[in-house]
Amino acid sequence: MVKIGNIELPEFPLLLAPMEDVSDPPFRRLCKTHGADLMFSEFISSEGLIRDAIKSRQKLDIFDYERPVGIQIFGGDEEAMAMSSKIVSAVNPDLIDINFGCPVKKVVCKGAGAAVLKDVDLMVRLTKAVIDGTNLPVTVKTRLGWDDDSINIDEVAERLQDIGVKALSIHGRTRAQLYKGEADWSHIARVKNNPRITMPIFGNGDVDSPEKALEYKNRYGVDGIMIGRAAIGYPWIFNEIKHYFKTGEKLSAPTMQDRIEAARNHLTWAMEWKGEWVGIVETRRHYTNYFKGIHNFKEYRQKLVTIDNAQGLYAAFDEISQAFADYQFVS
Ligand SMILES: Cc1cc2nc3c(=O)[nH]c(=O)nc-3n(C[C@H](O)[C@H](O)[C@H](O)COP(=O)(O)O)c2cc1C
């Protein structure tokens, strides 16, 4: 069993990575249904939370069925982080996660996200401000360092643990790398094997199949794996990995009916959350992912992204279901 504060996770948990514009409540619900053990909100700007920016506030929505769930915040100002810690605690997530790894320019330029990677003292102060503002467990997600010449994850892990961080998720790339090259998990393994480190260490970066998950689990010895991009349009990845760990066999690929059901549920849950119109519009960008690589699907995709009422969309799903009843996927 893996523990984060007093949150108990199963042996070798699979985490859904925080992803802006992706890991919202309907998407998280799908991932939960298909085996994610711990999930995170999209990142939320601490400055935005304080200003009461509507977009930031909506990202605070969490539901009991998705627990355990963490809310992720970022920021470069201690006071804003301390206040955000209190605001986030009031909505009662299971934990608060801090993002120190975001390479997005608008975040880095504000002194937040991965910019903090250059300044470990600041990172520690910002984290301390969050810890002091809450009774919830605080975790951190970060990258290896700023660039290849300044990989400082070993020091970062020790100092964060010393001030009370309860788990660390490490994306095996530097900020300078953005998403290029391959994630280098050897640095993550070194942190995990540091005898001073007792908090759980979760590895992140490029895991996109049960085989790779097993290989990385065995080779790098981490406490669990965090999955981001591979879950987009493919929430089945979590149970596929778990099944493979248990049996050494691969589950057959989701059928067309499974994909339709996922897309339909995504739409339904988005509408329940944000109302019919916003739910319809916000789900549009996901259809391409659920129906990726399907031959002769263009006409239906076009329908799904233009129909503007729920009844019409459900009818389109029925039509797709009939038209592709015999469609075969290869796993
Ligand atoms: C669309 C997208 C949005 C992301 N948003 C966030 C975010 O809000 N917070 C964060 O810590 N990381 C964010 N990331 C990084 C992911 O959490 C993860 O670290 C990265 O994608 C590597 O994992 P993967 O190879 O499994 O995708 C984002 C990644 C993507 C692709």
Side-chain angles (χ1 to χ4, degrees):
M1 189 212 297
V2 170
K3 283 190 88 174
I4 301 178
N6 46 25
I7 304 168
E8 294 181 354
L9 298 172
E11 188 74 34
F12 207 80
L14 299 178
L15 285 59
L16 170 68
M19 287 186 284
E20 189 185 22
D21 284 336
V22 180
S23 50
D24 58 5
F27 180 72
R28 294 201 300 262
R29 186 164 174 182
L30 272 162
C31 290
K32 182 81 182 180
T33 309
H34 294 286
D37 296 304
L38 173 62
M39 308 189 293
F40 298 87
S41 69
E42 310 168 61
F43 64 21
I44 308 179
S45 152
S46 53
E47 320 261 339
L49 271 182
I50 294 172
R51 283 199 317 269
D52 208 2
I54 291 169
K55 199 168 172 220
S56 298
R57 289 279 170 158
Q58 269 192 331
K59 290 182 183 174
L60 290 176
D61 286 352
I62 50 167
F63 299 90
D64 276 338
Y65 53 73
E66 55 179 332
R67 291 185 185 280
V69 63
I71 288 181
Q72 189 188 61
I73 56 174
F74 69 90
D77 177 77
E78 279 171 69
E79 214 171 303
M81 289 294 263
M83 279 177 71
S84 297
S85 177
K86 293 194 172 76
I87 295 169
V88 170
S89 302
V91 304
N92 197 26
D94 296 276
L95 59 85
I96 300 180
D97 187 66
I98 309 174
N99 174 314
F100 288 132
C102 185
V104 179
K105 269 239 169 66
K106 71 173 184 201
V107 176
V108 176
C109 295
K110 281 192 194 142
V116 183
L117 296 179
K118 285 178 176 171
D119 187 346
V120 182
D121 289 341
L122 174 62
M123 185 192 287
V124 168
R125 287 201 305 277
L126 292 167
T127 306
K128 183 91 174 54
V130 176
I131 291 173
D132 289 347
T134 185
N135 292 320
L136 296 168
V138 173
T139 60
V140 166
K141 174 167 178 284
T142 188
R143 290 186 174 224
L144 301 175
W146 181 260
D147 59 21
D148 277 351
D149 299 323
S150 56
I151 288 179
N152 56 3
I153 190 65
D154 307 78
E155 179 195 354
V156 162
E158 288 195 3
R159 291 187 61 187
L160 292 178
Q161 180 179 274
D162 287 348
I163 59 162
V165 165
K166 297 288 189 258
L168 184 64
S169 303
I170 307 172
H171 177 189
R173 287 188 173 83
T174 61
R175 139 78 205 188
Q177 248 182 302
L178 302 173
Y179 284 89
K180 291 191 215 92
E182 241 183 280
D184 182 351
W185 283 51
S186 63
H187 299 284
I188 307 175
R190 201 178 53 247
V191 173
K192 173 60 201 166
N193 289 326
N194 175 350
R196 278 252 289 126
I197 296 293
T198 52
M199 65 181 163
I201 301 295
F202 302 118
N204 170 236
D206 301 346
V207 172
D208 58 1
S209 68
E211 291 92 331
K212 198 161 184 178
L214 185 62
E215 186 194 331
Y216 280 26
K217 173 180 189 269
N218 292 339
R219 193 186 312 164
Y220 300 111
V222 290
D223 294 294
I225 291 179
M226 175 184 272
I227 295 169
R229 289 166 295 176
I232 298 177
Y234 205 86
W236 301 277
I237 185 90
F238 299 100
N239 277 339
E240 284 186 356
I241 292 174
K242 287 181 172 178
H243 186 82
Y244 190 68
F245 282 179
K246 223 191 309 180
T247 65
E249 281 168 19
K250 287 185 73 174
L251 283 173
S252 46
T255 62
M256 191 64 178
Q257 297 308 323
D258 293 331
R259 288 165 198 261
I260 294 167
E261 191 191 331
R264 197 198 301 257
N265 281 339
H266 200 140
L267 171 69
T268 303
W269 296 335
M271 292 192 302
E272 278 170 18
W273 178 42
K274 282 198 169 166
E276 180 168 341
W277 174 242
V278 179
I280 287 171
V281 172
E282 290 197 350
T283 309
R284 283 180 179 163
R285 62 176 182 269
H286 293 279
Y287 297 129
T288 309
N289 300 318
Y290 291 120
F291 300 109
K292 201 159 28 195
I294 292 167
H295 304 298
N296 303 322
F297 195 75
K298 204 167 162 199
E299 165 201 343
Y300 296 97
R301 198 197 74 88
Q302 194 56 29
K303 277 193 182 178
L304 292 177
V305 299
T306 46
I307 294 172
D308 63 0
N309 63 87
Q311 217 185 349
L313 280 163
Y314 289 131
F317 285 130
D318 290 342
E319 198 186 331
I320 294 168
S321 179
Q322 283 183 6
F324 290 85
D326 300 323
Y327 195 87
Q328 293 293 328
F329 285 93
V330 229
S331 63

